Every structure is written in C-alpha cells, then in structure tokens.
Amino acid sequence: GGQGLISEARKLEVRIPAGVYSGLRLRVPGEGNAGLHGGPPGDLYVLIDVKPHETFVRDGADLHCELAIGFGLACLGGEVEVPRLDGEDETIEVPRGSQPGDVLRVARAGLPRLDGGGMGDMLVHLTIQVPRKPGQEQEKLVRSVGEQGEESPHVTPGGPGQVPAAKR
C-alpha cells in the first residue's frame, strides 16, 4: 500500500507460565507491528482465557471442589479419596462429626502462584448425602440414632448468605 510495509501472518510459540488466569496479558517483546520510520518492532500482547474445569472452581491459586459423603462417614469419620488436578488421587481424613459446609484443606494441591510464592491449596467442601427413600433397615438405624437425643431440631437466626449466630 505504499507504506513500505508487508503484511505477513506468522506462527509463534509463546511460553505460557503455570498458574495463569483469565484476563492476564502476556507481553512478547519485539513480536508486534513494525516500527514507524525504520524503528524497532512493537510488542505482541496475548490475552489469556482459561476454560473452566469440570471438577474444580478456581480462586486465585486455590482450587475448590465439593465432596458428597454419606451420613455414616460424616458421623464416624474416616478416609476418602479425592481427585487432584494432576490426575492423581489424594487420601484425606474426614473428621468424626463432620457437618455440611465443613471445609477440608489439602495443602499445596492447588495451582502454582505466578509470583513464585509456592502452590495454592485444594479446599474440599463437604455435603452430606441423605437417602431420599431409605430402606427399612436404614430407617431403623436412623431412628435408633435419633433416639439418642443429639439430633433434636432447633432454630437459629440467619438466612442465605448470613453467618449463623453460633459462628459470630
């Protein structure tokens, strides 16, 4: 077009560091448009878009997942396997008397921190599976546990998004 420049498409290899997040801009020096009047070329900026994971939700370098456990495991505690981002399984200890909403932390099982500050954690949020249609034997066992008196219904102030009075 008379400007002394030629438009050219090229493929570049760009090193993407571990731990990048959506919205991050990576600068590739000297790979942008040609400079004006014979000046040096500009920089290329690569905008990162990280796809969501099917199991984990990201919060910085930390990963969150939900683990549904049965009443027996919540009540008595025990070990359970949870997947890690690297494809391996991690054995974690569910404490005796675990409650819905309790969070178990697996240290350094998250993503690398971009600032070189180590690894994030994996936070496992517990939910309790309750059978919708318990069988006769299950019903007898649950009634027996309920008769011990520890499961009496009670109301506390609070609502969605509010901190229960016991935790204030």
Side-chain angles (χ1 to χ4, degrees), residues 98-141:
S98 291
Q99 300 295 311
D102 284 357
V103 180
L104 307 177
R105 182 178 300 270
V106 181
R108 295 174 303 282
L111 296 169
R113 298 185 194 282
L114 279 177
D115 62 5
M119 300 286 286
D121 297 333
M122 179 171 62
L123 300 152
V124 181
H125 300 259
L126 297 181
T127 62
I128 311 298
Q129 292 176 324
V130 178
R132 291 197 183 276
K133 296 181 181 181
Q136 287 181 340
E137 194 62 35
Q138 285 177 317
E139 187 174 337
K140 285 180 191 177
L141 289 170

Side-chain angles (χ1 to χ4, degrees), residues 10-31:
R10 302 187 307 158
K11 286 187 179 184
L12 293 174
E13 282 192 29
V14 177
R15 184 183 170 282
I16 308 292
V20 297
Y21 50 87
S22 287
L24 182 73
R25 285 187 342 160
L26 292 179
R27 185 173 71 93
V28 184
E31 295 295 341

